[in-house]
Amino acid sequence: MWRVGTVIALHDETTTARTITFEVPDWPGHVAGQHVDVRLTASDGYSTVRSYSIASAPNSDGRVELTVERLPNGEVSPYLTQELAVGDRLELRGPIGGWFVWHTEQTEPIQLIAGGSGIVPLMAMIRSRASAASTAPFRLLYSVREPGAIFYRDELLALSDRNHSVSIAYAYTRATPKDWPRPPSRIDATLIANTTWPSNLVPTCYVCGPTSFVESATDLLIAFDNGRDKIRAERFGPTGERK
Amino acid sequence: MGTISRGFTGRRSSADAKLPPGQYLTTDFPVLSAGPTPHIPLDRWEFVIDDGTNVLRKWDWKSFRELPTETITVDIHCVTRWSKLGTSWEGVSIDTMLADVKTDASHAMARSYGDYTTNLPLKDLRNKQAWIAFRFDGKDLAPEHGGPARLLVPHLYFWKSAKWVRGITLMHQDKPGFWESLGYHIYGDPWREQRYSGDE
């Protein structure tokens, strides 16, 4: 069933990513980690649909936030990040997905690993934890190209400061902040060893990012003795080797 | 017609005519999996057809690769809405693998390394509609795409084409597999747009 959402706010996260807040009056609610289908329809009736992860925590006021990264040759993401204006209406279907989700009843340690815009469903989990006043121990390892590519920067800082409730580690792959101790590099065994939960605490791990990122991060988690059944993954984009 | 999206024009291509409803064309090969990619050494790979109790047929990699193979060129359609046209595979027809199996089962559960499962009517695995594929685009199938071997059932949404497949269990009634238990459609025909449970 398709529902009409009205854009009530727009916020640029980076130069290429925008958060869109929809008000959906009959929204049935969602669980952190789920996604929605978004349908765009042109005036001649042509329509197309894409799936986007929900960034907002479950709430009761019918608000759904998506953060969309603009793809250079995308059909939909340039429209959503550049054309869409407050007051516009779009069709949404969902929420969808029952696997890559974090429920507020979960109390075990949680390891989140994000590559680029893979932070979006993980942010929904972090926000869900905060709004439910959960005390589940959370760690986030967030890999970005450069400091300017971080989504939700201030909010993440605030959440990690408050009683150190979410411990956050950043990894930079192309350019680091000034005086950063680690040269630009991809996630590796040292970083996993130093910043993620030890496997003897049996964390549930959620990994989201481009396919090649997820492949290497999940392989590293397994190399550090995390059980395969404790690792949930969501991949997007091409594999990188076949174009 | 749904709500018009102000200022949206979209892109149309002549290939759209060949696509099931709600799909768009990609030339990439995106990956959709629920967990880590299993890496299965060929000397430990095996494929078993069973009826839930008894093993009916069993192959190791060597005996599997001695079966006659086919080259398959098909369009594939992912429930996440990408479609890829004219993909080229090499594999063994399930007809070949079921040839000596006598059964009155109605359904099958494909089982994978990494504990993934997906259910299908048995008739959808027969009659030149399904293969165990081990090569894509002339190359050995990469682990993230389901290698060493995956099920290929191109007339259904691609989640039915189980990666890292290790066997088929024949069943006398339908039973939901992994994604089918998590909100996805029990059958998954892209031409009827059976994406989610509740779709007609």
Side-chain angles (χ1 to χ4, degrees):
Chain A
M1 146 178 199
W2 291 94
R3 294 182 167 87
V4 175
T6 303
V7 178
I8 58 167
L10 296 166
H11 170 71
D12 285 334
E13 299 293 345
T14 68
T15 54
T16 56
R18 175 170 284 184
T19 292
I20 306 161
T21 307
F22 292 96
E23 191 167 65
V24 192
D26 49 352
W27 183 248
H30 62 273
V31 179
Q34 288 189 297
H35 60 272
V36 287
D37 284 355
V38 176
R39 179 159 72 185
L40 301 186
T41 304
S43 55
D44 65 353
Y46 168 81
S47 76
T48 192
V49 178
R50 296 291 186 277
S51 293
Y52 292 100
S53 291
I54 301 172
S56 46
N59 59 75
S60 53
D61 50 8
R63 288 191 182 196
V64 178
E65 272 182 42
L66 311 178
T67 303
V68 177
E69 171 95 42
R70 183 158 63 249
L71 306 174
N73 296 306
E75 181 187 16
V76 170
S77 61
Y79 174 84
L80 293 178
T81 54
Q82 292 173 308
E83 176 68 26
L84 195 70
V86 169
D88 283 346
R89 287 145 48 94
L90 286 187
E91 289 176 295
L92 307 175
R93 183 182 180 190
I96 296 157
W99 175 248
F100 195 82
V101 291
W102 180 77
H103 294 274
T104 52
E105 296 79 26
Q106 286 177 243
T107 54
E108 79 277 15
I110 298 297
Q111 181 64 55
L112 309 175
I113 302 185
S117 58
I119 186 67
V120 177
L122 307 185
M123 190 62 185
M125 297 178 189
I126 291 170
R127 287 169 165 166
S128 176
R129 175 188 184 279
S131 69
S134 157
T135 54
F138 265 47
R139 282 187 176 178
L140 167 66
L141 173 56
Y142 184 6
S143 171
V144 288
R145 282 192 314 278
E146 58 200 3
I150 296 173
F151 293 8
Y152 321 119
R153 174 199 302 271
D154 295 342
E155 189 180 348
L156 283 173
L157 186 64
L159 284 167
S160 63
D161 271 0
R162 194 196 302 155
N163 305 326
H164 299 283
S165 59
V166 179
S167 152
I168 302 175
Y170 290 97
Y172 300 93
T173 58
R174 301 255 179 88
T176 69
K178 240 194 204 161
D179 303 324
W180 193 254
R182 195 180 139 90
S185 50
R186 295 182 179 279
I187 286 184
D188 59 17
T190 312
L191 202 60
I192 295 285
N194 291 341
T195 66
T196 66
W197 293 116
S199 55
N200 60 8
L201 296 179
V202 201
T204 301
C205 305
Y206 298 85
V207 184
C208 185
T211 298
S212 58
F213 174 87
V214 171
E215 291 299 315
S216 72
T218 53
D219 285 350
L220 284 166
L221 289 171
I222 289 166
F224 279 90
D225 291 327
N226 289 281
R228 291 180 167 272
D229 59 338
K230 294 290 170 195
I231 303 173
R232 299 184 181 211
E234 194 152 275
R235 299 158 167 88
F236 55 78
T239 61
E241 65 206 34
R242 292 199 184 91
K243 293 276 178 183
Chain B
M1 191 190 301
T3 306
I4 304 293
S5 317
R6 181 198 54 77
F8 177 70
T9 50
R11 242 180 244 159
R12 295 150 184 76
S13 98
S14 54
D16 288 351
K18 293 176 71 176
L19 297 180
Q23 296 293 110
Y24 66 90
L25 199 60
T26 182
T27 52
D28 292 325
F29 193 175
V31 170
L32 190 74
S33 323
T37 296
H39 298 268
I40 307 115
L42 293 184
D43 59 5
R44 283 172 47 196
W45 185 91
E46 60 174 29
F47 191 92
V48 171
I49 298 176
D50 66 71
D51 61 6
T53 313
N54 299 307
V55 171
L56 306 176
R57 294 298 312 268
K58 188 171 173 177
W59 293 266
D60 60 13
W61 187 257
K62 185 166 176 291
S63 57
F64 167 71
R65 288 292 288 105
E66 284 163 0
L67 296 171
T69 67
E70 297 174 11
T71 302
I72 310 117
T73 301
V74 287
D75 303 338
I76 55 177
H77 311 291
C78 180
V79 71
T80 62
R81 299 184 181 272
W82 57 264
S83 289
K84 195 170 166 64
L85 302 182
T87 60
S88 169
W89 305 80
E90 186 177 343
V92 176
S93 170
I94 305 279
D95 294 316
T96 304
M97 304 183 74
L98 285 173
D100 300 329
V101 175
K102 290 218 181 337
T103 177
D104 56 357
S106 58
H107 290 81
M109 187 70 81
R111 296 175 291 104
S112 294
Y113 291 95
D115 292 335
Y116 181 77
T117 55
T118 190
N119 59 300
L120 310 99
L122 187 54
K123 67 177 170 49
D124 287 81
L125 290 177
R126 294 188 188 271
N127 298 315
K128 302 184 169 130
Q129 296 186 93
W131 296 265
I132 303 297
F134 53 87
R135 221 168 256 158
F136 172 74
D137 242 0
K139 292 188 214 114
D140 289 346
L141 191 58
E144 68 267 28
H145 286 303
R150 77 181 296 163
L151 188 59
L152 177 65
V153 197
H155 70 286
L156 299 178
Y157 279 125
F158 212 45
W159 90 77
K160 295 286 185 180
S161 293
K163 293 174 190 168
W164 316 299
V165 70
R166 66 185 302 176
I168 291 169
T169 298
L170 304 175
M171 309 186 291
H172 283 93
Q173 60 184 43
D174 205 4
K175 199 171 96 175
F178 179 84
W179 287 118
E180 295 83 2
S181 306
L182 291 165
Y184 286 82
H185 196 273
I186 193 81
Y187 181 64
D189 180 351
W191 296 95
R192 286 189 276 166
E193 209 171 357
Q194 295 171 331
R195 295 178 194 277
Y196 312 122
S197 54
D199 287 342
E200 292 286 304

